[in-house]
């Protein structure tokens, strides 16, 4: 049995080396960012997505086929955001030409890479997300129950009850403390469908994830899975799946500026929506830039619509729900505070339904796994537009 796994492991290493060489051969330009990142400008038609078996004969969709209508306010003006948005640091050092996409080169430090079990197979994928089981009489099998996710702590605003074709939010950007190299903290918009033990999900936002990126900078990410992260999916372009079309944004690259407790707030605007003609799920950044899409061929349940939408934060650690608890932050590391705005927050919360017009959800509720460690606060009264605040420091006197 050991020899079998060793052969599989060696084959995966060979495939990874071959794939990386193909990327290098497709490189049109290389940009050295001031923050240490190396950005390769790759021929769009030679990107990693097409190594996925389901995308063998896939034809690239260069842009969405439908423009979603913006929500109109009562005074007839398009609703916009007054908070300053962010960009990426590598832009200071150069640009990628049209027809290429920027890919951040994986320069994982040896001390982090050596900690991974099966690094080529699991790199970029979230750890399995369930811990509790029940017996399914129909299938005669044990299936995991969608209660608290194993080693994951969530604080989010949730909506369900309709067929969702998109979701949007302005997510304030922070640089939370991540205590250990094998932990991470993200803030995102997520759409999900399917059974609770085997759900499909797509999400985008920002993350501090040393295990994937090799440092503790705040970085733009996308993520997908077709089976609750058991065997499929990954962050960014670390596995085949997501098709990038933009030559302006690099997934996994550091974003700046970011908010701090004594300065201005900064945000990213994320909009994920399904193209009604191709069923591909597009990710739009900052109101104008279409980064790329997840092809519908990756999914079953998500081919037609999402069943739930969530906005908020996630912390992964083997020390959530235990004592001592991890000290990894969520959001800014501050408990929700709508007065000062110095916590994690999402504003301009919107969903897209069959009428293809962005609007606030008809029904929402807030949820947190560990309210003494990471909390939530939703405000809809006495404000022009409902807002959601979340986050916390993890380990603290209330969460020992």
């Amino acid at each position: 049995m050991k020899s079998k796994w060793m052969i599989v492991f060696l084959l995966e290493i060979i495939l990874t080396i071959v794939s990386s060489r193909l990327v290098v051969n497709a490189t049109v330009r290389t940009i050295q960012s001031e923050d240490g990142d190396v950005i390769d400008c790759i021929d769009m038609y030679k990107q990693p997505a097409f190594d996925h078996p389901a995308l063998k004969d896939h034809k690239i969709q260069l842009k969405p086929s439908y423009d979603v209508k913006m929500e109109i306010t009562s005074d007839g003006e398009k609703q916009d955001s007054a908070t300053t948005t962010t960009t990426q640091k590598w832009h200071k050092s150069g640009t990628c030409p049209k027809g290429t996409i920027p890919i951040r080169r994986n320069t994982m430090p040896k001390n982090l890479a050596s900690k991974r079990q099966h690094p080529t197979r699991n790199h970029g994928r979230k750890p399995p997300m369930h811990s509790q089981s029940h017996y399914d009489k129909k299938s005669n099998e044990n299936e995991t129950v969608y209660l608290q996710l194993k080693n994951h702590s969530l604080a989010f605003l949730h909506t369900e009850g309709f067929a969702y074709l998109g979701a949007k939010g302005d997510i304030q950007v922070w640089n939370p403390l991540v205590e250990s190299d094998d932990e991470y903290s993200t803030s995102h918009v997520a759409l999900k469908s399917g059974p609770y033990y085997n759900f499909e999900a797509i999400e985008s936002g920002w993350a501090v994830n040393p295990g994937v990126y090799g440092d503790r900078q705040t970085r733009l990410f996308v993520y997908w899975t077709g089976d609750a992260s058991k065997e499929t999916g990954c962050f960014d372009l670390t596995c085949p799946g997501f098709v990038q079309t933009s030559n302006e944004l690099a997934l996994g690259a550091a974003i700046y500026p970011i908010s701090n407790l004594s300065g201005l707030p900064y945000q990213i605007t994320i909009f994920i929506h399904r193209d009604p003609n191709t069923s591909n799920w597009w990710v739009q950044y900052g109101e104008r830039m279409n980064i790329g899409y997840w092809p519908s061929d990756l999914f079953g349940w998500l081919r037609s619509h999402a069943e739930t939408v969530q906005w908020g934060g996630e912390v992964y650690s083997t020390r959530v729900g235990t004592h001592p608890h991890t000290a990894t932050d969520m959001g800014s590391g501050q408990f929700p505070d709508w007065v000062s705005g110095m916590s994690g927050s999402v504003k301009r919360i919107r969903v897209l339904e069959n009428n293809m017009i962005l609007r606030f959800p008809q029904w929402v509720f807030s949820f947190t796994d560990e309210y003494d460690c990471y909390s939530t606060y939703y405000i809809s009264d006495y404000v022009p537009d409902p807002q959601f605040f979340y986050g916390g420091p993890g380990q603290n006197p209330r969460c020992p």
Side-chain angles (χ1 to χ4, degrees):
M1 182 62 70
K2 289 184 178 179
S3 61
K4 176 185 175 182
W5 284 114
M6 181 60 68
I7 292 171
V8 172
F9 181 66
L10 290 173
L11 285 174
E12 288 175 340
I13 293 176
I14 293 170
L15 288 173
T16 301
I17 294 172
V18 170
S19 178
S20 63
R21 286 178 177 174
L22 289 174
V23 168
V24 171
N25 291 337
T27 300
V28 175
R29 179 180 299 170
T30 296
I31 299 170
Q32 179 69 57
S33 176
E34 66 178 34
D35 62 355
D37 279 355
V38 177
I39 305 297
D40 292 316
C41 303
I42 305 297
D43 186 325
M44 183 190 303
Y45 293 91
K46 297 180 181 179
Q47 62 180 289
F50 304 119
D51 293 333
H52 194 289
L55 305 181
K56 181 179 179 181
D57 299 316
H58 183 78
K59 184 178 180 181
I60 289 185
Q61 182 182 2
L62 295 177
K63 63 180 181 180
S65 63
Y66 186 91
D67 290 329
V68 177
K69 295 179 181 178
M70 299 298 295
E71 187 175 52
I72 306 300
T73 61
S74 58
D75 59 6
E77 295 294 328
K78 288 184 178 180
Q79 190 144 21
D80 201 355
S81 173
T83 311
T84 306
T85 57
T86 66
T87 182
Q88 294 188 316
K89 291 182 179 179
W90 68 272
H91 289 165
K92 297 180 180 180
S93 304
T95 59
C96 284
K98 291 184 178 180
T100 69
I101 62 166
I103 296 183
R104 176 184 177 268
R105 189 180 297 178
N106 181 15
T107 55
M108 179 67 62
K110 291 182 179 180
N111 66 314
L112 290 180
S114 64
K115 293 180 180 180
R116 289 204 190 89
Q117 184 180 12
H118 307 304
T120 58
R121 183 169 59 195
N122 295 330
H123 175 58
R125 187 186 311 146
K126 292 183 180 183
M129 304 182 74
H130 292 291
S131 59
Q132 301 187 38
S133 299
H134 79 286
Y135 186 71
D136 189 329
K137 294 181 180 180
K138 293 182 180 180
S139 63
N140 294 322
E141 294 180 353
N142 286 322
E143 296 290 4
T144 45
V145 177
Y146 185 66
L147 298 174
Q148 182 171 356
L149 302 179
K150 181 181 179 181
N151 300 331
H152 295 255
S153 191
L154 305 174
F156 57 75
L157 189 71
H158 177 97
T159 189
E160 61 182 58
F162 294 87
Y164 300 103
L165 304 181
K168 184 176 183 179
D170 295 340
I171 308 172
Q172 193 162 345
V173 181
W174 298 93
N175 183 240
L177 167 72
V178 173
E179 187 176 20
S180 300
D181 290 342
D182 59 351
E183 301 179 348
Y184 65 73
S185 180
T186 78
S187 291
H188 57 259
V189 178
L191 297 96
K192 301 179 180 181
S193 276
Y196 49 78
Y197 54 83
N198 204 40
F199 62 85
E200 300 173 351
I202 49 180
E203 60 187 67
S204 182
W206 59 260
V208 177
N209 190 337
V212 170
Y213 302 119
D215 60 22
R216 285 169 167 74
Q217 295 192 76
T218 302
R219 298 177 177 275
L220 175 70
F221 82 92
V222 299
Y223 187 86
W224 72 278
T225 179
D227 59 1
S229 297
K230 290 183 231 175
E231 297 292 338
T232 67
C234 63
F235 285 92
D236 309 330
L237 306 179
T238 54
C239 72
F242 187 83
V243 178
Q244 184 161 340
T245 58
S246 172
N247 66 324
E248 299 182 60
L249 283 176
L251 295 172
I255 54 182
Y256 89 102
I258 58 176
S259 307
N260 63 75
L261 297 178
S262 60
L264 293 173
Y266 295 92
Q267 71 178 24
I268 56 174
T269 299
I270 298 294
F271 178 31
I272 304 174
H273 65 98
R274 177 181 175 273
D275 189 296
N277 296 315
T278 65
S279 299
N280 297 329
W281 286 92
W282 280 86
V283 180
Q284 184 186 86
Y285 178 90
E287 306 288 2
R288 65 177 185 86
M289 192 180 302
N290 296 307
I291 302 175
Y293 61 91
W294 293 280
S296 61
D297 292 331
L298 296 175
F299 307 109
W301 297 90
L302 276 173
R303 280 176 180 263
S304 58
H305 65 273
E307 297 172 337
T308 67
V309 181
Q310 296 172 353
W311 301 260
E314 173 188 356
V315 165
Y316 170 79
S317 170
T318 57
R319 294 192 295 118
V320 299
T322 66
H323 301 288
H325 195 279
T326 180
T328 291
D329 293 339
M330 180 188 293
S332 67
Q334 304 289 313
F335 283 114
D337 183 359
W338 72 273
V339 177
S340 68
M342 293 292 104
S343 64
S345 69
V346 184
K347 302 178 181 179
R348 283 202 307 164
I349 299 158
R350 299 290 184 268
V351 293
L352 187 68
E353 296 174 7
N354 288 329
N355 59 8
M356 298 303 288
I357 298 176
L358 281 165
R359 65 171 180 80
F360 189 81
Q362 294 189 28
W363 174 85
V364 295
F365 79 89
S366 59
F367 171 84
T368 180
D369 288 312
E370 303 175 289
Y371 58 85
D372 285 333
C373 310
Y374 311 108
S375 190
T376 65
Y377 185 83
Y378 169 66
I379 180 170
S380 59
D381 296 329
Y382 312 112
V383 290
D385 200 58
Q387 301 174 14
F388 177 62
F389 298 86
Y390 62 93
Q395 188 180 61
N396 69 88
R398 290 162 44 187
C399 174

